[in-house]
Amino acid sequence: MTLIALDGVGRTVELPDAPPLQILSAVDLVIDDGDRVSIVGRSGSGKSTLLNLLGLLDRPTHGEIRFDGAEVRRLSDARLARLRGASIGFVFQQFNLLPGRTAIENVMTPLLYDRGAAFWRRERLAAAMLERVGLGARLTSMPDRMSGGEQQRVAIARALVRRPRLILADEPTGALDLETGSTVMELMEEVARETGAALVTITHDPAIARRAVRHLRLEAGRLVPLDGAEAPGAAPAASEAVSAPERRREFESEPEEVRA
């Protein structure tokens, strides 16, 4: 099932006293539930701009984005914010944890915007997710008292605590050593498999990029397949495409404490 689709998407930025700067042009991309996509590109190629579009943080200058069948251009800012909070999890290179807040307080933050039962159960859900990423003993630890790998796991727990359908990871291992980075990727992939979420990783690291099913390069404002990779918009491998929705149904049928 198609989760998000970009059709001829471009992004242009107006500059003072200079011609408009075209960052992206005619980007076509289809991401399905359970998909695994890596995107590489040089600095300044527009990767962050593309991530902001996929994460519904920005709107395209031209072209069309559909999220779960809804055209993004037609949605209000408030509707986009609710959709983003409920369906998309962000994992950043620099962690972006709140200073002066414990690990559990950081992970609870997205649940403060929930209008349902998750708001009232936010502490228990956050603790369960931290346990899931191996930090059950560090609930009250401050970020500055944690290693880089531990901080990144807190960031992952925060991104996944609302069980998003789309996980966007922006250079998630860039600030980590090789071994810790591999562990972090394995953790994200494992949770994504369990929930049936799509995982899109933007990275400079070829080893991290190769972990995905589809491998794309952002070049001159356009997405192109890497040599030997599947074309943009191609469906994931058959086993992934068939099993992801089934995994999500199985996951959602379990008690929340088990799922976390």
Side-chain angles (χ1 to χ4, degrees), residues 31-166:
I31 297 172
D32 295 332
D33 283 319
D35 211 347
R36 302 288 180 274
V37 180
S38 66
I39 300 173
V40 300
R42 298 176 181 175
S43 296
S45 62
K47 299 191 300 299
S48 294
T49 299
L50 178 59
L51 186 82
N52 288 344
L53 291 170
L54 289 171
L56 310 184
L57 293 168
D58 290 333
R59 299 174 188 262
T61 307
H62 57 268
E64 182 178 282
I65 299 177
R66 290 185 174 274
F67 192 97
D68 209 16
E71 187 178 348
V72 168
R73 193 184 297 273
R74 298 179 180 274
L75 301 179
S76 67
D77 289 343
R79 176 72 181 102
L80 277 178
R82 290 194 296 271
L83 183 61
R84 184 168 57 245
S87 302
I88 302 174
F90 296 87
V91 180
F92 301 101
Q93 175 181 355
Q94 299 301 330
F95 317 140
N96 290 342
L97 300 180
L98 296 172
R101 294 291 187 269
T102 64
I104 193 169
E105 288 171 338
N106 268 278
V107 177
M108 285 167 53
T109 301
L111 299 174
L112 295 173
Y113 302 94
D114 201 297
R115 296 182 178 182
F119 173 83
W120 303 105
R121 304 172 63 197
R122 59 190 182 277
E123 186 170 356
R124 183 150 60 98
L125 293 173
M129 185 57 74
L130 282 167
E131 181 73 37
R132 176 68 184 78
V133 300
L135 294 176
R138 303 299 305 272
L139 302 185
T140 59
S141 297
M142 294 291 185
D144 61 359
R145 306 298 295 177
M146 306 177 81
S147 68
E150 288 174 327
Q151 290 184 60
Q152 188 62 296
R153 280 186 280 165
V154 173
I156 291 172
R158 181 183 58 189
L160 302 181
V161 71
R162 295 190 77 177
R163 297 179 176 85
R165 295 178 62 192
L166 174 62

